Amino acid sequence: MEIPVIDFKKIEGESRKETLSLLHQACEKWGFFMIENHSIDVELMVKVKALVNQHYEQNMKGRFYNSDVVKSLVDKEITRNVDWESAFFIWHRPVSNINQFANLPMDFQKTMDEYIDQLIKLAETFSELMSENLGLEKSFIKQAFSGSKGPSVGTKVAKYPRCPRPEQVRGLREHTDAGGIILLLQDDEVPGLEFFKDGEWVEIPPSKNNRIFVNTGDQLEVLSNGIYKSALHRVMTDKNGSRLSIATFYNPAGDAIISPASKLLYPGGFSFQEYLKIYAETKFADKAPRLESMKKLTNGPRDLLM
């Protein structure tokens, strides 16, 4: 099963229409895809991964292998209610908390901030392209996410350490993501991420050639009235390798009110007789204008068609 790959440089070229169609299909049929030739500085991506790996080795690895999770696995008491991961979460917007981590060097903080600035621009571009593909105003998703202070942006920095008994525990249990657009900078050697599609688990390969993995969360499924999908996924453990995952979430603000875009909703609250009056005049025409007329009927004065 070949995962969709979006060549971002084609968005502004002669292949724009074809590329937008591929993006729409990826969001509609898959809920996840890869992007290449994006705008993120490649050297910055490499540096972020190196700094995270270094931080894990120096500050997180020892603590993880002395944790109750590891002890439970050694004692064969592990349950399905734990995850084999070592992780922390950084908030970037609307307010950053990166300087509150005492063991994160200034170089780490500065590099992460530069990376996130670029990534937010990419996420906003995606929000505009997705809005366009849904037939909405270009700014619709960003505005829907904004609340009173703008969209929320945060990063889960995670390592999925080598596991002596990978058959007994997940790196991360099956779930969908709660938010909006997720951009993942992941390991380029160690696999483990899997997404569920058409009744089977699809293995996501390590990211080669500086590709970024993207998936859509629950809030985009709601905003799109189910057109775009939030896909179930998980992380498997590995006996031979420790997997890197840097997942940045472009999410609604905490006070954002989320509901399906009215333009994407089917009309409701009308009688069949009312529908037949419009249907009789438009039976052999496209149904979309007919449904739009029913929306206007149910949202406006009902005596217009009586």
Side-chain angles (χ1 to χ4, degrees), residues 8 22 29 95 106 143 168 172 185 228 240 259 267:
F8 224 63
L22 180 59
K29 305 296 184 184
V95 178
M106 285 303 300
Q143 289 181 351
Q168 289 186 238
L172 189 60
L185 180 59
Y228 288 172
N240 302 309
S259 60

Side-chain angles (χ1 to χ4, degrees), residues 124-135:
E124 289 178 341
T125 298
F126 266 118
S127 75
E128 292 175 353
L129 296 174
M130 290 174 181
S131 294
E132 181 179 343
N133 272 338
L134 290 167

Side-chain angles (χ1 to χ4, degrees), residues 174-175 194-197 199-203 232-234:
E174 293 81 355
H175 66 287
E194 296 183 350
F195 271 69
F196 196 70
K197 175 173 168 55
E200 62 180 286
W201 288 101
V202 179
E203 295 182 4
L232 190 69
H233 55 285
R234 65 188 183 185

Side-chain angles (χ1 to χ4, degrees), residues 56-71:
Y56 169 75
E57 291 292 332
Q58 294 177 353
N59 299 279
M60 301 169 68
K61 183 177 181 179
R63 187 165 63 247
F64 174 78
Y65 282 109
N66 284 313
S67 68
D68 291 339
V69 172
V70 176
K71 292 175 183 177

Side-chain angles (χ1 to χ4, degrees), residues 11 14 30 58 132 174 205 239 274 277 292 295 299:
I11 290 292
E14 295 179 356
W30 293 72
Q58 294 177 353
E132 181 179 343
E174 293 81 355
K239 196 171 186 176
E274 290 170 329
K277 288 181 179 179
E292 282 300 313
K295 287 183 187 179
N299 292 331

Side-chain angles (χ1 to χ4, degrees), residues 1-27:
M1 193 177 292
E2 192 170 345
I3 300 165
V5 178
I6 310 296
D7 187 344
F8 224 63
K9 71 180 180 182
K10 294 183 178 180
I11 290 292
E12 300 302 330
E14 295 179 356
S15 302
R16 176 180 173 81
K17 184 176 180 181
E18 177 186 341
T19 306
L20 283 176
S21 176
L22 180 59
L23 174 62
H24 184 64
Q25 291 177 34
C27 294

Side-chain angles (χ1 to χ4, degrees), residues 76 110 120 198 224 306:
K76 298 184 179 180
K110 182 175 180 292
I120 289 175
D198 298 336
S224 68
M306 299 300 286

